[in-house]
Amino acid sequence: MKRLLAVALATLSAPLTAAAALTAAPAAEPIPLGILSDAAMPLAYRIDLTVLPEKERFTGHVEIDVTVKAATRSLYLHGRDLHIGAVAARVGGRTIPAHYSQVEDSGVAQLIFDGVLPTGKATLLFDYDAAFGDSAAGLYRIKVADQWYAWTQFESIDARAAFPGFDQPGYKTPFTVSLTTRPGLVALSNAPEVKSVPVGDLVRHEFAATRPLPTYLVAFVVGPFVTASGTIAPSAQRAAPLPSRIVGTQPYRDKLGFALENSGPIILGLERYFDTPFPFPKLDQIGSPVMPGAMENAGADIYGDTILLLDKDASTDRKKTFGMVVAHELSHQWFGDLVTPAWWDDIWLNESFANWMGYRIGDEWRPDLKIWAGALDEGFAAMNVDALKAGRPIHQPIRTNGEIDSAFDQVTYGKGGHVVSMIAAYLGDEKFRDGVRLHLKRYAYGNASTEQFFGSLADAAHDPRVLASLKSFVDQQGVPVVRVERTGDGLKVSQKRYALLGSDLPPQSWIIPLCVRIGASRDCSLLDTPSATIPLKAAGAIIPNAGGTGYYRFSLPEAQWKALIATSASLPSGEASALTDSLWAAFRAGELSPSLLLDAARAMAGNDYSVAAVEGGSRLVGLRLRGQIAGGALPGYRRFLKQVYGPRLDAIGFDPRAGLYAGDDADRQKLRADLVDLVAGEADDKPLRMRLWKAAAAWLAGDRAALDQAFFDAGLAAYLVEGGDRALATLFDKAMSSDDSLFRDRAIGVMGAVDRAAAGRWLIDRLGDQRLRAGDRVGLLVSLAQQPTTRDMAYDWAVTHYDELARGNGIFAVNRLATLPGRYCSAAKAAEIEKALRPHIVKQQRGALALDRTVEQVHSCGVLEEKRGGEIRAMFGGK
Ligand SMILES: [Zn+2]
């Protein structure tokens, strides 16, 4: 799965209390709040669902073959908000009636049998019905262009909201599925359809039995979809062509071709890397308007519309996202689906590896998009979270159902992916790849733990110290910072745990694969002591994180910072990103004068890599959003941005019309779009904004050639700034009546970023509009909370309506709501947020870590502001 934040279905019913259930149970076995006991183990599922997306509920008949370990009268399993009409066990020719009750909110249920269930094989039989969800969790339905569609999203523990079962990743069994629906609707699941038969006025679609799968990888999709079909040619690893389809809702009729054409090369790249064929008999990739990321269901991946369904004129940003996310989900078909973690504490193996692989194979697919550099950028961004005292290691015990979703955070994805790339770079590509191949062969169609993965790597790498290094990053939280200084013998290097100014963290050490470069001289070694000397004596700027693959920050004496900053324009992408991250980290630790940040932004603006070129400016925007650049400092700030980024934009040229730069290098197209955002918005360049405004107004009036997709955000933002209240009302109505997910998402983001009090209030008054989907509402609030003038009103509204917002949206909203106040910057406000939000978090039992992090970030920003705020504003001539 690839997502920024976790998703789960809200629990709507009022289940029995645990105490009541325990009294009813004949056995005194406690309710399993995490992993189930092995009293009964599933062997195979047969799932027959009737899915009519226009109805509010669906119905099902489920049969689960199990092995019963010891004779019993009761069993625990999973089911959430299911209305079970009939339940029984069949043993030989005999039927034993049973009673089902849900005994815990997260979806633990109990079966109590009228007789003794004997040791050995049995089949559990269920007839039930349940409500569709309305956001991406469980089996959910959404109306698009006046027609209803249904999709599923089961990871992590939402399969239990669609069918009763043993909903944990360690149980892998075949699933034989049928979906009964109206004639003419498309019905898909993980396996190929074998036949369809009429049942009254409906049609039953029957699918082949799957290869062994865990419940979280099962998928059902029903609706009046459009599809594009093709095959992926045989490869050195696969003899037969692989059937491949792209599936979307009706409005995407003409946007299926790009994904169909471009998935093939990604599959072939993955087959080459793993040296194993695609593990399932077909591949469907399906778009959903409300999926906040993508999910690797075996043979039936589901993506947010805007990730999967693009046309050839899409912006570089969207093509980058396509390559990275599609390669991520498809790499899971091997790493996750073929070999699955036994329990959620090993989920980092799936996600950290798929993150690294997504960037790597995405990069092979289209090197011109510079997808690989994005992997390191995601890792450096994760350091900001990992630097806090509140946190978790990548690999962490998961005891209860409430803790599972906390494992899907920036630490697992961004840090995990970066750590994998560091180890792969240090071991060497071939040794690392051999370890991965060995692992897949050993555990194909089964489960494997972290220790077993380490074992496979060790057997291929023959280097136990590298494994010890990997463990030092995987099993402890925090970011190392390496100090590098010149001495007579070369470079003195020393390590400690990075800490923000005013933050007191316990000391820690790592075994760091440290690669340092000076010009063409390079030294890589494992730093496993507090300090050491590296025999690198060449003259020139020191690059303490060569290639940027190391998951560590660095610090330098001031003269060395200056020498390194002077080389900014020519640094390769990973080293450029490492420099910006480490400089800002040194500033936030209180060790660096902020004027160096401006020198670096100016020097880095000449870098070839688009992200590096604008990163210094983007970080200054962050200071402004937190109120650290305000009042009298604003004119100087805007002047600085215009002086630094204006000339670069002038040099590469700008015209808003569609397709004019299609022949340009892809990353240069992205650079142009990013520069336009900064110069027209933050630098307040009125003539540029007027051009964008006119282009956006023409686009909204139907002239699709007036505005290129790359300038969509800048264009819509200019339209709002220049068009005032009328423009806001027009854009809101157009967004609400649109079935184009990209336009909807963009319009909501841009409206929320309007930063004008009256406009903010107007939007807040519209939060009750029924046309806003559950995710839209939270998205709009989060966006309003970023901006200084609308932050308070969005935060106050979110606090007042917290439970209602969280109930309607599940864990996805809970985590986003907990991070919503993250742009505040004061110790007093941190305490107030803690007091206002903690009771809600406790009540929802979710989002605790996200709130801990938010409160700490707001507090530490306040400390920095108190000590250095004046200096920041003085740089721009303010107070
Ligand atoms: Zn994933």
Side-chain angles (χ1 to χ4, degrees), residues 308-382:
L308 182 70
L309 305 175
L310 40 162
D311 56 53
K312 62 176 179 20
D313 302 325
S315 67
T316 298
D317 265 339
R318 295 198 59 215
K319 286 176 183 156
K320 278 177 92 159
T321 303
F322 171 91
M324 184 269 284
V325 179
V326 169
H328 177 117
E329 302 311 332
L330 295 181
S331 78
H332 273 312
Q333 301 293 312
W334 286 263
F335 218 91
D337 297 8
L338 177 64
V339 179
T340 308
W343 178 241
W344 298 108
D345 48 4
D346 287 327
I347 198 65
W348 78 273
L349 273 182
N350 266 13
E351 297 304 345
S352 304
F353 184 83
N355 232 46
W356 175 73
M357 202 65 185
Y359 285 107
R360 186 203 159 98
I361 298 294
D363 200 63
E364 258 180 51
W365 162 65
R366 281 280 302 266
D368 60 319
L369 296 173
K370 300 197 179 172
I371 288 175
W372 170 246
L376 303 181
D377 293 333
E378 196 178 338
F380 290 122

Side-chain angles (χ1 to χ4, degrees), residues 318-512:
R318 295 198 59 215
K319 286 176 183 156
K320 278 177 92 159
T321 303
F322 171 91
M324 184 269 284
V325 179
V326 169
H328 177 117
E329 302 311 332
L330 295 181
S331 78
H332 273 312
Q333 301 293 312
W334 286 263
F335 218 91
D337 297 8
L338 177 64
V339 179
T340 308
W343 178 241
W344 298 108
D345 48 4
D346 287 327
I347 198 65
W348 78 273
L349 273 182
N350 266 13
E351 297 304 345
S352 304
F353 184 83
N355 232 46
W356 175 73
M357 202 65 185
Y359 285 107
R360 186 203 159 98
I361 298 294
D363 200 63
E364 258 180 51
W365 162 65
R366 281 280 302 266
D368 60 319
L369 296 173
K370 300 197 179 172
I371 288 175
W372 170 246
L376 303 181
D377 293 333
E378 196 178 338
F380 290 122
M383 287 181 187
N384 292 327
V385 170
D386 198 25
L388 301 170
K389 188 171 193 170
R392 50 176 287 272
I394 296 174
H395 181 218
Q396 183 197 29
I398 299 287
R399 286 170 296 264
T400 67
N401 293 327
E403 290 174 351
I404 294 170
D405 284 287
S406 71
F408 294 86
D409 68 353
Q410 274 178 290
V411 164
T412 292
Y413 288 86
K415 177 182 183 177
H418 207 132
V419 168
V420 169
S421 77
M422 173 170 70
I423 296 299
Y426 191 80
L427 263 183
D429 203 51
E430 282 186 20
K431 274 191 187 168
F432 184 79
R433 189 201 60 197
D434 290 349
V436 170
R437 289 178 174 179
L438 181 64
H439 186 67
L440 291 179
K441 287 201 169 65
R442 279 182 180 168
Y443 303 104
Y445 298 108
N447 295 93
S449 67
T450 295
E451 286 306 319
Q452 286 162 328
F453 178 66
F454 286 166
S456 304
L457 273 190
D459 290 349
H462 310 296
D463 188 348
R465 286 179 77 219
V466 174
L467 277 191
S469 165
L470 180 56
K471 284 183 189 179
S472 80
F473 282 89
V474 164
D475 289 334
Q476 62 183 350
Q477 74 176 90
V479 186
V481 57
V482 177
R483 174 85 177 171
V484 182
E485 288 163 287
R486 273 210 158 89
T487 68
D489 303 328
L491 302 175
K492 185 190 172 219
V493 294
S494 54
Q495 61 160 305
K496 63 173 185 179
R497 181 169 176 188
Y498 174 81
L500 292 161
L501 180 63
S503 174
D504 188 22
L505 301 180
Q508 229 171 266
S509 66
W510 288 261
I511 302 172
I512 303 172

